[in-house]
Amino acid sequence: MSTRRGVTLAGAGREFLRHPTPWMLTGTLIAAAAARVSAGDWQLTDALVPLAMLAVFPFAEWMIHVVILHWRPRRIAGVTVDPLLSRKHRDHHVEPRDLPLVFIPWQSLLWVLPLAVAVALIAFPSLGRGLTFLTFLALLGIGYEWCHYLIHTDYRPKSTVYRSIWRNHRQHHFKNEHYWFTVTSSGTADRVLGTYPDPGSAETSPTARNLHARG
């Protein structure tokens, strides 16, 4: 496990591009953006769709983190249900500095990305708006991967906004895994949904590095 001391933003960027998930999301972004330009039919809703997605994204991030990533393995109808995303996330908590575990598993993107394409083509009243959704979703995915990755490097925050996000997520990993579930924002969905306590009064969890273990 690398200590990765003295990380610069450029060095972090080079390492980021050595992993498959950013390339998969970037490929989706380029293809979706090209298809959106080709489709034409620009409407006011092409601006409203990204704004709505930005408003919803912290809550979607929170829900995915709580329900899927922190899923507790259980037997349903005699079958143990323990998705890859959940297993990899437990490993990520054990070794938060292990870079491959920081990224969304590429195997999961093999079905998540086609599902996103299906939603874009089926759930929207027009092709243009669906492609706008898909383009911005890929952009949000890249933003999430970059932000999450950077937090887990030794790159130190320079801006007030990033410092707040950095502190928020590190408290989730090293203070208490039951709080601070958003990654790309700080104090948004967590405040609304009651998982943003005062760090000074929050209990230090004995299972932050070993999810679902008995403390």
Side-chain angles (χ1 to χ4, degrees), residues 46-59:
D46 286 295
L48 297 179
V49 167
L51 290 176
M53 292 174 71
L54 276 176
V56 169
F57 189 68
F59 296 92

Side-chain angles (χ1 to χ4, degrees), residues 130-141:
L131 291 172
T132 295
F133 161 81
L134 185 61
T135 301
F136 200 68
L137 184 66
L139 192 61
L140 286 172

Side-chain angles (χ1 to χ4, degrees), residues 176-195:
N176 194 311
E177 77 277 19
H178 302 295
Y179 304 115
W180 306 293
F181 288 104
T182 56
V183 176
T184 60
S185 62
S186 175
T188 49
D190 280 308
R191 287 187 189 274
V192 174
L193 298 171
T195 52

Side-chain angles (χ1 to χ4, degrees), residues 95-143:
E95 295 289 355
R97 291 173 57 82
D98 187 343
L99 285 184
L101 294 173
V102 170
F103 294 91
I104 300 169
W106 64 266
Q107 299 92 333
S108 296
L109 285 186
L110 291 179
W111 64 265
V112 169
L113 292 177
L115 178 62
V117 172
V119 169
L121 295 178
I122 296 171
F124 286 82
S126 68
L127 178 62
R129 261 45 69 199
L131 291 172
T132 295
F133 161 81
L134 185 61
T135 301
F136 200 68
L137 184 66
L139 192 61
L140 286 172
I142 294 169

